[in-house]
Amino acid sequence: MAEQAPLLSLKQVSLSYGHGEVLKAIDLQLDHGELVALVGPNGSGKTSLLNSINGFIAATGLIQIAGQDLQQLSSNTVAKLIASVSQHQDQQIALSVKEFVSLGLLPQLGLWQKISFQQQGKIESYLRQFDLLDKLNTPLSELSGGQRQRAHIVKSLLQQPRLLLLDEPNNHLDIEHQLHLLNYLKKQSFTSLISLHDLNLAAQFCDKVIILNEGSLFDFGTPEQVLNQHNIAQVFKVNCKIDAHYQQGLAIQFSSRNP
């Protein structure tokens, strides 16, 4: 029996802008069904890496999704494989919540095909799970930042991707919905790559953690392997104490180097 290809494979992925390299020869593999945190200081390359994986920007090197070269795939095929939630959302989209999240079904629909009764039910189910069913007919522009972020998450889930990319989705979410999102992703069969600033949430929920620093892959492994005092001091420039016996995984207590 042939060995299954990793869900995501990056080989020597690099990206340069006018001011220099923002990604430096990244080699990485993510398996099917993993929840993976992407962490690093501001400017470490997290958004650039996510935008390279989803094809929004053209990096050099090889990016493969389920063994297929990303550059050889049509935009519709990519949309069936990868869904993305960016950290900056357009606040002036002139659609209701239902109309907006329904856009996530487009990769699955044929030309001129209408949304089925079953798909309508799926829309309402996702909206209910993310506390938006009562906003079904509300204009997206009238939602709060957190509600709008949850609508974008629902839209991405309706794509039924094999890889979900989320760029700091917790920025706009209250604590309840941060925990709900991570609990939800933890239970799914697709792979999720989520950039986070909260290392404790990464340690509590994620199967693997990627640490980026200055555009390079600093470390990659389980939370227990990579979220240690040395790595945190080197990358984030803070001291910490780590309780490895905390009931929900690691517990990290931070302190400034210069109080």
Side-chain angles (χ1 to χ4, degrees):
M1 183 175 179
E3 185 176 347
Q4 187 179 35
L7 190 279
L8 175 67
S9 175
L10 278 63
K11 297 178 181 177
Q12 295 293 292
V13 172
S14 299
L15 178 67
S16 296
Y17 294 133
H19 58 275
E21 279 189 300
V22 293
L23 295 176
K24 303 172 184 177
I26 304 290
D27 288 324
L28 185 67
Q29 288 189 351
L30 303 186
D31 290 328
H32 298 256
E34 289 186 316
L35 174 54
V36 182
L38 178 60
V39 305
N42 293 336
S44 59
K46 299 187 296 295
T47 297
S48 295
L49 181 61
L50 293 173
N51 285 339
S52 297
I53 293 170
N54 63 27
F56 287 179
I57 52 179
T60 60
L62 179 63
I63 300 175
Q64 292 179 309
I65 305 295
Q68 303 175 81
D69 186 346
L70 180 67
Q71 294 186 351
Q72 303 302 316
L73 300 177
S74 68
S75 57
N76 188 63
T77 299
V78 172
K80 290 179 179 179
L81 293 171
I82 305 174
S84 299
V85 179
S86 66
Q87 59 176 299
H88 301 296
Q89 312 293 1
D90 186 347
Q91 300 182 21
Q92 302 303 319
I93 297 174
L95 296 172
S96 70
V97 169
K98 180 180 179 181
E99 290 169 335
F100 174 72
V101 301
S102 297
L103 297 175
L105 295 170
L106 290 179
Q108 316 298 331
L109 296 175
L111 188 63
W112 310 119
Q113 184 180 351
K114 293 183 178 181
I115 295 173
S116 67
F117 180 79
Q118 182 180 21
Q119 289 169 325
Q120 294 278 8
K122 185 174 291 187
I123 289 170
E124 293 186 9
S125 175
Y126 277 122
L127 290 174
R128 183 179 296 107
Q129 288 183 68
F130 285 86
D131 292 337
L132 288 172
L133 187 58
D134 61 331
K135 305 295 183 181
L136 189 71
N137 297 308
T138 302
L140 194 71
S141 59
E142 294 183 9
L143 299 184
S144 70
Q147 291 170 334
R148 194 161 47 246
Q149 183 78 320
R150 299 199 315 266
H152 280 266
I153 291 167
V154 168
K155 172 179 170 289
S156 71
L157 293 173
L158 283 166
Q159 284 182 234
Q160 298 181 277
R162 297 182 66 181
L163 174 64
L164 178 60
L165 307 175
L166 304 104
D167 192 0
E168 299 184 19
N170 283 353
N171 279 1
H172 301 285
L173 300 181
D174 57 36
I175 295 173
E176 176 190 3
H177 291 100
Q178 289 182 34
L179 296 177
H180 172 78
L181 173 63
L182 288 165
N183 269 310
Y184 178 86
L185 295 176
K186 182 77 172 176
K187 299 173 184 176
Q188 304 311 304
S189 60
F190 55 78
T191 299
S192 296
L193 177 57
I194 178 172
S195 67
L196 295 170
H197 281 298
D198 190 326
L199 300 186
N200 278 298
L201 287 180
Q204 181 177 344
F205 288 98
C206 295
D207 302 304
K208 302 280 181 63
V209 176
I210 300 164
I211 301 181
L212 283 187
N213 192 37
E214 298 180 350
S216 295
L217 180 61
F218 186 87
D219 207 350
F220 174 53
T222 66
E224 292 77 13
Q225 290 171 330
V226 305
L227 294 178
N228 54 59
Q229 290 178 322
H230 173 267
N231 284 355
I232 290 171
Q234 287 289 310
V235 174
F236 297 96
K237 313 302 182 189
V238 295
N239 297 321
C240 68
K241 294 181 180 179
I242 298 176
D243 181 359
H245 302 291
Y246 183 63
Q247 61 181 353
Q248 292 178 304
L250 301 179
I252 307 170
Q253 181 179 354
F254 301 96
S255 60
S256 172
R257 285 183 170 180
N258 299 300

